[in-house]
Amino acid sequence: MRREQNDKGAAPPLSALEAINRSILDSALDCIIAMDSKGIVREFNPAAERVFGYRRAETVGQELATLIIPEHLRDQHRKGLAHYLKTGSGPVLNRRIEINALRHDGSEITVELAITPIDVDGSPFFTAYLRDITERKRGEDARRRLAAIVESSEDAILSSDLDTTITSWNAGAERLFGYTPAEVIGQSVMMLIPRERRDEEPRILERIRRGEAIEHYETVRVRKNGTSFNASLMVSAIKDENGVVIGASKIARDITDRVRNERRRLTQYTVASLLAGSWTLAEASPPILQAIASMGDWVYGAIWLLDPESNSLQCQGVWHRQSPELEKFAATSRSLRFASGRGLPGRVYQSGKATWIENVKEDSNFPRADAAVGAGLVGGFAFPLLAGTAVNGVIELFSQRRVQPDEDLLKLVDALGSQVGLFLERRRIEHELQHAKEAAEGANAAKDRFLAMLSHELRTPLTPVLIWAAGMMSDSALDPEIQQGLKMVCRNVELEARLIDDLLDLTRITRGKLKLQRARSNVHELLHHALDIVSSEMGERQAPVAFELRAAQPECVIDGPRMQQVFWNIFRNAYNYTPSDAAISVRSRNVDDQIIIEIMDNGAGIESQFLEKIFDTFEQVDAGREGLGLGLAISKAIIEMHGGSICAQSDGAGKGATFVITLPLSGADSGVLPK
């Protein structure tokens, strides 16, 4: 207690004991507050000033309850003081408690409180020792919340020291790994790591020592029952109060389903890519089998196809991990044939459904059991290669463990089986089509040879007949009726010769033997020459022809005789399909670097459905007309070899027809008939 001043204003000198007490109050780190029996503050040391925000002068002489006790606790404080004064006892005296206190600014803090009662001159006096523990409580609360979060987390959360010893283990870790905390705490974390991956942990701890955090590290871990699973790890350093790394905290999550689904999607893509880039299944078999085996714990795979000659399944492709024992099993498989229903491939072929064997030693229909056991194989699985409902083959897989395929795998192999099965069916059809194409090409070649030979053989005997008949017609002594007969003979021989020429031209065109002899020619002159020939052939069937030749540049680099043949064919058609009193007109014009020729008549016309067909070989609109229907087809081929085009236009039956020919002026094309 501080001494009161005397009447001269100076404080009396302190005794040595009082000086010591004063020094203790002023230097104490804890708050020290003294209160009399009426609850009035008598002492408020510097530490209390710092914590509560009051100056000592503001508190001494004031009721303690109104200063630092929250309003909702004041009645309880006053009742406790009254109870002590009445009974000499109180529940909070002489022990440490935690309670909320009020600061000058109105904020609440948590304090650790100890109250000691003393007697001063026969009256009770109380000394309170207080320590602000707000931050400590916050830290404890945070740690409790964190511990609750860790314990309730679905993820496995564990920690270890830098010597790999497990120091904590939550409920998620127990569920994931199968160990209770009592079984693992104090044990090495190596018990959770597969033997082939135990070099990972030293590398992880070395990074942790350097203060690095490891996020989303994907690996494999082992459960208590010995099964492995794909895991995603997050590893972070545990530090002491001085920031020194003393261990590692790990969060582990089972990602087996995700990894399996990713592998299966990759397998589908890989198989599709391999099939797209392969001509035969034999070359694609090993990588396809390896891709499918990568979906699970498969060490051996084979493709079986039906041998038509023996009507049995034969091993056509094999993949397996490097192992002499597995190679022996593969050799055994290659040496065997399975009929429908026999062995694993035969059963799948017969049923058209996926089948699995949990243990080859226990299966009564597995002839390769001894070889499989020698190779360390246990479980087997096979599925059909389907094209619709037809089974084109079987793929089998084997594991060194028991197997029980899941529904997702069965759905996937349905898709894979269809992919490979359709590939086999497509290749079979392509093979058949190739044979059919070769046969058709052979038949076409034989037909072309036959037509060429036939044309030559038919033309040879006609030539002397035509020469003799033409010579006889010039004899004036012949009877007029005989002369008319000879004219008929000549016309028919010439018609027969033209038909034979058409057959020869068609043969040359189809075999690519027709060659153009190009030279600069006047299209207008060729039109007149062709019309003259047709007019002389038609005799009395004359029809007026009107020319409107407006092309300023009529010269082209073309095969003149062949182009005259084209014009002759069109003029002849116009005469044949035009009544004797009808008219034919011819027009020409230049457009850009082309000449366009239009030959029009107002005769029989062409129905719309025949406008394209009339250029096909052996196609005739009127079956009653003479000829083979080759003239327009040959004309179209000749014009296209010149780089030009031809088309027919008509408004229908009885409304005439127009043939439009377009030719380039330069003639710079190759002269090869377009494919």
Side-chain angles (χ1 to χ4, degrees):
M1 299 269 242
R2 295 186 181 174
R3 291 171 57 88
E4 301 296 331
Q5 292 179 332
N6 58 26
D7 33 350
K8 289 186 178 181
L14 295 174
S15 67
L17 182 58
E18 287 176 327
I20 292 172
N21 289 338
R22 182 78 265 156
S23 175
I24 292 172
L25 282 173
D26 291 345
S27 61
L29 297 177
D30 289 338
C31 305
I32 301 175
I33 301 173
M35 179 187 74
D36 63 18
S37 60
K38 294 180 181 180
I40 304 301
V41 175
R42 295 303 180 187
E43 184 57 67
F44 203 85
N45 77 333
E49 290 179 329
R50 290 192 299 272
V51 170
F52 290 99
Y54 291 101
R55 295 193 306 275
R56 180 177 181 278
E58 294 177 296
T59 61
V60 173
Q62 302 295 320
E63 184 186 15
L64 181 66
T66 61
L67 295 175
I68 68 170
I69 298 176
E71 188 173 356
H72 66 282
L73 296 176
R74 289 172 187 170
D75 285 346
Q76 184 180 346
H77 165 76
R78 291 170 179 144
K79 289 177 181 178
L81 178 59
H83 177 76
Y84 178 81
L85 295 175
K86 183 177 179 180
T87 64
S89 65
V92 300
L93 299 176
N94 296 313
R95 67 187 187 90
R96 292 183 179 275
I97 63 172
E98 293 178 3
I99 191 170
N100 285 354
L102 190 67
R103 299 181 73 252
H104 184 264
D105 60 9
S107 61
E108 289 192 16
I109 59 174
T110 304
V111 297
E112 186 179 70
L113 170 66
I115 301 175
T116 303
I118 58 175
D119 184 79
V120 178
D121 299 329
S123 179
F125 206 83
F126 304 92
T127 304
Y129 302 89
L130 303 97
R131 181 175 297 171
D132 185 359
I133 60 170
T134 304
E135 292 302 321
R136 191 189 77 190
K137 291 295 291 182
R138 287 176 182 167
E140 290 174 353
D141 289 344
R143 284 191 291 274
R144 279 194 296 271
R145 286 194 296 271
L146 179 60
I149 292 170
V150 168
E151 191 58 29
S152 62
S153 173
E154 290 296 321
D155 292 330
I157 302 176
L158 60 142
S159 61
S160 67
D161 62 21
L162 296 179
D163 293 326
T164 76
T165 301
I166 297 172
T167 56
S168 70
W169 189 262
N170 78 334
E174 184 174 351
R175 287 190 297 271
L176 181 59
F177 291 95
Y179 292 101
T180 65
E183 291 176 300
V184 294
I185 292 178
Q187 302 296 320
S188 173
V189 77
M190 293 294 188
M191 66 189 295
L192 310 175
I193 304 176
R195 186 177 302 277
E196 66 274 13
R197 290 179 175 265
R198 290 186 176 175
D199 59 338
E200 292 178 1
E201 191 66 14
R203 293 200 300 269
I204 291 174
L205 290 178
E206 182 57 36
R207 293 177 62 183
I208 292 300
R209 284 188 178 93
R210 296 197 298 266
E212 297 181 30
I214 302 172
E215 296 185 2
H216 306 301
Y217 174 71
E218 295 189 2
T219 183
V220 177
R221 290 295 179 259
V222 180
R223 296 185 176 91
K224 181 179 179 180
N225 62 11
T227 61
S228 59
F229 64 94
N230 297 98
S232 173
L233 295 182
M234 294 179 63
V235 189
S236 56
I238 300 175
K239 300 178 181 179
D240 63 14
E241 61 274 10
N242 298 317
V244 177
V245 176
I246 59 173
S249 173
K250 302 177 183 179
I251 300 176
R253 180 174 297 173
D254 185 351
I255 58 170
T256 302
D257 289 343
R258 193 202 79 198
V259 171
R260 181 178 61 223
N261 291 336
E262 288 176 353
R263 285 178 179 172
R264 290 178 179 179
R265 284 194 296 271
L266 179 61
T267 297
Q268 284 185 291
Y269 173 78
T270 302
V271 170
S273 299
L274 289 169
L275 291 175
S278 303
W279 179 248
T280 65
L281 188 60
E283 63 180 297
S285 291
I288 286 176
L289 291 169
Q290 185 176 8
I292 296 173
S294 69
M295 295 187 302
D297 191 25
W298 309 107
V299 298
Y300 175 94
I303 293 180
W304 295 76
L305 301 179
L306 185 68
D307 179 13
E309 294 184 3
S310 63
N311 196 31
S312 61
L313 291 165
Q314 181 178 357
C315 182
Q316 295 289 339
V318 168
W319 169 87
H320 58 78
R321 292 183 183 174
Q322 292 296 322
S323 164
E325 291 75 17
L326 290 174
E327 180 55 44
K328 291 179 183 178
F329 180 72
T332 300
S333 298
R334 292 190 189 98
S335 68
L336 296 176
R337 303 286 187 276
F338 288 121
S340 177
R342 178 168 168 76
L344 181 58
R347 276 184 278 177
V348 174
Y349 184 84
Q350 184 181 60
S351 67
K353 297 179 180 179
T355 302
W356 58 87
I357 300 173
E358 192 170 345
N359 191 328
V360 294
K361 291 193 297 184
E362 301 168 359
D363 192 277
S364 59
N365 187 5
F366 191 74
R368 294 172 289 167
D370 291 342
V373 172
L377 301 178
V378 178
F381 173 65
F383 59 93
L385 308 179
L386 296 170
T389 58
V391 180
N392 286 332
V394 174
I395 287 181
E396 66 177 4
L397 301 165
F398 289 94
S399 172
Q400 292 176 328
R401 301 180 182 179
R402 290 177 178 265
V403 295
Q404 191 73 29
D406 56 82
E407 288 300 319
D408 287 340
L409 177 60
L410 293 176
K411 291 177 183 177
L412 176 62
V413 297
D414 279 347
L416 292 174
S418 294
Q419 275 184 292
V420 181
L422 290 172
F423 171 84
L424 292 170
E425 183 69 9
R426 187 168 65 251
R427 289 293 180 259
R428 183 187 67 78
I429 293 173
E430 288 172 354
H431 186 68
E432 291 178 355
L433 289 175
Q434 182 65 26
H435 277 294
K437 179 183 177 183
E438 292 172 357
E441 289 174 348
N444 285 333
K447 180 194 71 175
D448 293 342
R449 289 193 298 272
F450 171 75
L451 288 175
M453 180 187 68
L454 180 63
S455 300
H456 180 267
E457 295 300 323
L458 289 175
R459 189 180 182 86
T460 300
L462 291 178
T463 302
V465 172
L466 184 61
I467 294 172
W468 175 82
M472 290 295 293
M473 282 192 301
S474 61
D475 188 349
S476 58
L478 285 178
D479 184 271
E481 185 177 349
I482 293 175
Q483 284 187 332
Q484 290 298 322
L486 289 173
K487 287 182 180 180
M488 178 191 68
V489 169
C490 288
R491 284 198 304 272
N492 282 284
V493 170
E494 288 173 349
L495 174 62
E496 189 71 22
R498 281 196 298 274
L499 295 177
I500 293 170
D501 286 340
D502 284 349
L503 283 173
L504 287 171
D505 283 345
L506 178 64
T507 302
R508 294 187 188 103
I509 289 170
T510 56
R511 298 178 66 184
K513 301 296 185 181
L514 184 66
K515 303 296 182 183
L516 299 180
Q517 303 297 322
R518 295 175 182 276
R520 185 166 294 280
S521 302
N522 189 305
V523 173
H524 292 168
E525 293 177 1
L526 295 176
L527 285 165
H528 283 291
H529 293 330
L531 182 61
D532 290 343
I533 296 171
V534 173
S535 297
S536 64
E537 290 176 350
M538 292 294 117
E540 68 278 0
R541 291 188 60 215
Q542 294 295 318
V545 178
F547 282 91
E548 292 183 42
L549 304 179
R550 297 179 178 178
Q553 175 53 272
E555 290 191 347
C556 298
V557 180
I558 54 178
D559 187 323
R562 286 295 182 186
M563 194 56 61
Q564 182 173 299
Q565 177 185 354
V566 170
F567 297 149
W568 174 86
N569 267 317
I570 297 173
F571 280 133
R572 195 165 183 278
N573 267 354
Y575 270 101
N576 284 336
Y577 289 93
T578 302
S580 58
D581 59 347
I584 298 172
S585 60
V586 183
R587 295 188 300 203
S588 72
R589 67 182 187 276
N590 290 122
V591 176
D592 298 330
D593 294 329
Q594 298 174 323
I595 184 171
I596 297 175
I597 305 102
E598 296 176 334
I599 301 175
M600 296 162 286
D601 67 70
N602 57 355
I606 307 170
E607 294 182 13
S608 59
Q609 65 267 32
F610 295 114
L611 287 174
E612 294 293 334
K613 289 185 177 181
I614 60 173
F615 295 104
D616 295 339
T617 56
F618 304 108
E619 186 67 41
Q620 286 184 306
V621 176
D622 184 354
R625 301 284 179 175
E626 65 180 20
L628 297 175
L630 298 177
L632 289 178
I634 294 171
S635 297
K636 183 174 186 291
I638 291 172
I639 289 171
E640 289 180 348
M641 290 178 70
H642 282 86
S645 64
I646 182 172
C647 67
Q649 301 170 355
S650 177
D651 291 332
K655 297 183 179 180
T658 300
F659 285 84
V660 181
I661 299 170
T662 302
L663 291 171
L665 295 176
S666 62
D669 55 282
S670 64
V672 178
L673 184 65
K675 298 293 184 183

